[in-house]
Amino acid sequence: MSRRTPAAVGVAVLGLALAGCTSTAPVDAGAGGPITVAATDDACDVSATEAPAGTISFDITNGGSKVTEFYLYATGGRIMGEVENIGPGLSRQLIVEVPEGGTYETACKPGMVGDGIRGAFTVTGSAQRSVDTDTRLAEATAGYQRYVNSQVEALVPKTQEFVDAVVAGDVEGAKALYPVARTYWERIEPVAESFGDLDPRIDGRDDGEPGVEFTGFHRLERDLWQDGLQPDSTAIADMLMDDITELANRVPSVELTPLALANGAKELLDEVATGKITGEEDRYSHTDLWDFRANVDGSQGAIAALRPVIDERDPDLGPLLDERFAALDALLENYRDGDGFVLYTALTPDDVKAMTEAVDALGEPVSQVAGVVSS
Ligand SMILES: [Cu+2]
């Protein structure tokens, strides 16, 4: 998904320096405990603008009237961590591993659009990486990296097939391939989104953000289902393929942290809640349930990689996660149609309500995973 404009368009610098580290110290951000963030519709008050390298916790409270998000960005707009979909009056926690000292940026995004309300954030010193000090955490991230690689390996040829159909003017063929190609993107969305510049080009919507060209999957979706192929559809399709190829080239250099897996698992469920359960994302094709399934798959993939760590540290949490994933899986199976799913437009309000409840019920234990992993 992307409702957002690029934070800072530029090359994400993906050296060893950027992602992957934590101290073995507990969750508190230094001696002062979690950093609080008071978010409103026009302010983003962060209680500290500096923290030592390692695991940093932010407690975000939305005192505004709009749904908001909170981000921590590294140089170049790379997302270190984010929490989406914080409703008015609600609080959420972001626990993020920041290995290297340097200059970062915090942002609240009231209404979940635009660049948000930015603030400078300094990280001092450096910390040992959690994956260097804990074999289980290293295995978890390596396992998830393999999962991501496998999805990218399918994403590239499937997108190529879709793009080829668009270029050939084969509307029906392209329509059939659209949700299939997207599946591989939606499964790894938090990793893909961490490249701040690529995500809006590949998966942006026509929500009329000023200065943002409407390109990517959803632009082609609009052409295929609503407007008919346009004079520039071929160019848009070629650009999509270039962007997906660039994504595939960049993914191997991403240094994942165990906390990024945990946060990503929750982000995927937020994606479902904000984009799929609402029918917002695939507004022309109504193939939202395909994306829904893929987001849940991706969440499950990240949780599965972390499972040995979860079982070691909180023996009750794993079985609860299993139960809630199984309940959501069972519900989704009711909407299967051949290789895919019924269209979003076939759902009744009661269907949507039941799925919303199942997603919320799963999101609750998934949101505990970051705390367990960093404990
Ligand atoms: Cu998406």
Side-chain angles (χ1 to χ4, degrees):
M1 81 119 223
S2 180
R3 256 165 275 98
R4 54 189 77 107
T5 50
V9 177
V11 178
V13 182
L14 297 174
L16 296 179
L18 276 188
C21 316
T22 227
S23 68
T24 46
V27 170
D28 297 336
I35 294 167
T36 59
V37 180
T40 64
D41 293 347
D42 51 18
C44 184
D45 292 326
V46 183
S47 69
T49 54
E50 191 176 297
T55 303
I56 303 174
S57 300
F58 296 92
D59 282 350
I60 305 108
T61 301
N62 183 5
S65 64
K66 297 174 180 168
V67 178
T68 197
E69 304 174 311
F70 178 77
Y71 288 78
L72 182 68
Y73 290 105
T75 315
R78 180 164 156 73
I79 298 168
M80 301 296 295
E82 64 167 303
V83 279
E84 288 188 56
N85 201 26
I86 312 170
L90 297 183
S91 296
R92 287 276 299 275
Q93 190 173 47
L94 174 66
I95 311 175
V96 63
E97 198 176 333
V98 184
E100 296 292 326
T103 305
Y104 296 82
E105 249 187 331
T106 52
C108 298
K109 294 191 186 177
M112 306 210 291
V113 289
D115 281 350
I117 304 161
R118 301 281 182 133
F121 191 84
T122 305
V123 175
T124 56
S126 64
Q128 245 189 327
R129 308 181 333 142
S130 63
V131 292
D132 289 343
T133 56
D134 186 319
T135 319
R136 273 191 202 283
L137 292 179
E139 280 167 8
T141 50
Y144 184 68
Q145 184 78 56
R146 286 193 294 275
Y147 176 77
V148 171
N149 292 346
S150 72
Q151 298 309 308
V152 170
E153 274 167 28
L155 174 65
V156 172
K158 280 293 164 197
T159 305
Q160 186 70 62
E161 284 177 39
F162 169 65
V163 162
D164 287 347
V166 171
V167 170
D170 175 10
V171 172
E172 288 313 308
K175 280 181 166 181
L177 286 160
Y178 170 83
V180 179
R182 287 183 56 74
T183 293
Y184 304 98
W185 162 267
E186 292 286 326
R187 281 184 185 149
I188 58 163
E189 202 156 4
V191 175
E193 280 186 358
S194 71
F195 305 107
D197 54 336
L198 283 178
D199 173 46
R201 294 212 300 264
I202 294 172
D203 203 32
R205 318 291 159 65
D206 58 336
D207 291 334
E209 278 200 51
V212 183
E213 202 198 341
F214 180 38
T215 61
F217 277 118
H218 296 298
R219 164 57 209 279
L220 295 170
E221 180 198 7
R222 188 176 74 181
D223 292 357
L224 290 166
W225 270 271
Q226 181 180 284
D227 296 344
L229 291 177
Q230 301 294 305
D232 66 342
S233 295
T234 295
I236 296 283
D238 288 341
M239 180 181 156
L240 173 64
M241 197 61 233
D242 288 349
D243 287 338
I244 291 289
T245 305
E246 188 179 338
L247 175 80
N249 290 337
R250 285 203 216 168
V251 160
S253 61
V254 177
E255 281 250 326
L256 291 163
T257 67
L259 277 170
L261 271 57
N263 293 332
K266 184 64 174 78
E267 278 165 41
L268 283 160
L269 298 179
D270 288 344
E271 280 284 322
V272 173
T274 57
K276 282 71 179 189
I277 205 71
T278 54
E280 184 268 337
E281 177 138 0
D282 294 295
R283 59 186 70 164
Y284 305 106
S285 64
H286 307 299
T287 54
D288 302 274
L289 291 189
W290 296 68
D291 287 11
F292 185 142
R293 177 70 260 172
N295 284 161
V296 175
D297 286 344
S299 183
Q300 211 156 7
I303 297 295
L306 289 167
R307 187 58 185 272
V309 181
I310 296 169
D311 286 342
E312 186 181 68
R313 298 181 186 177
D314 183 349
D316 296 333
L317 186 56
L320 181 62
L321 287 161
D322 289 345
E323 187 190 307
R324 303 273 166 94
F325 270 115
L328 186 55
D329 286 347
L331 195 55
L332 261 175
E333 280 310 305
N334 295 330
Y335 303 96
R336 271 256 173 229
D337 181 19
D339 290 341
F341 292 89
V342 301
L343 298 184
Y344 186 80
T345 43
L347 302 179
T348 66
D350 281 347
D351 292 331
V352 172
K353 184 164 175 276
M355 282 194 266
T356 303
E357 284 168 3
V359 171
D360 289 348
L362 173 60
E364 199 272 317
V366 167
S367 69
Q368 293 174 31
V369 173
V372 169
V373 166
S374 64
S375 65

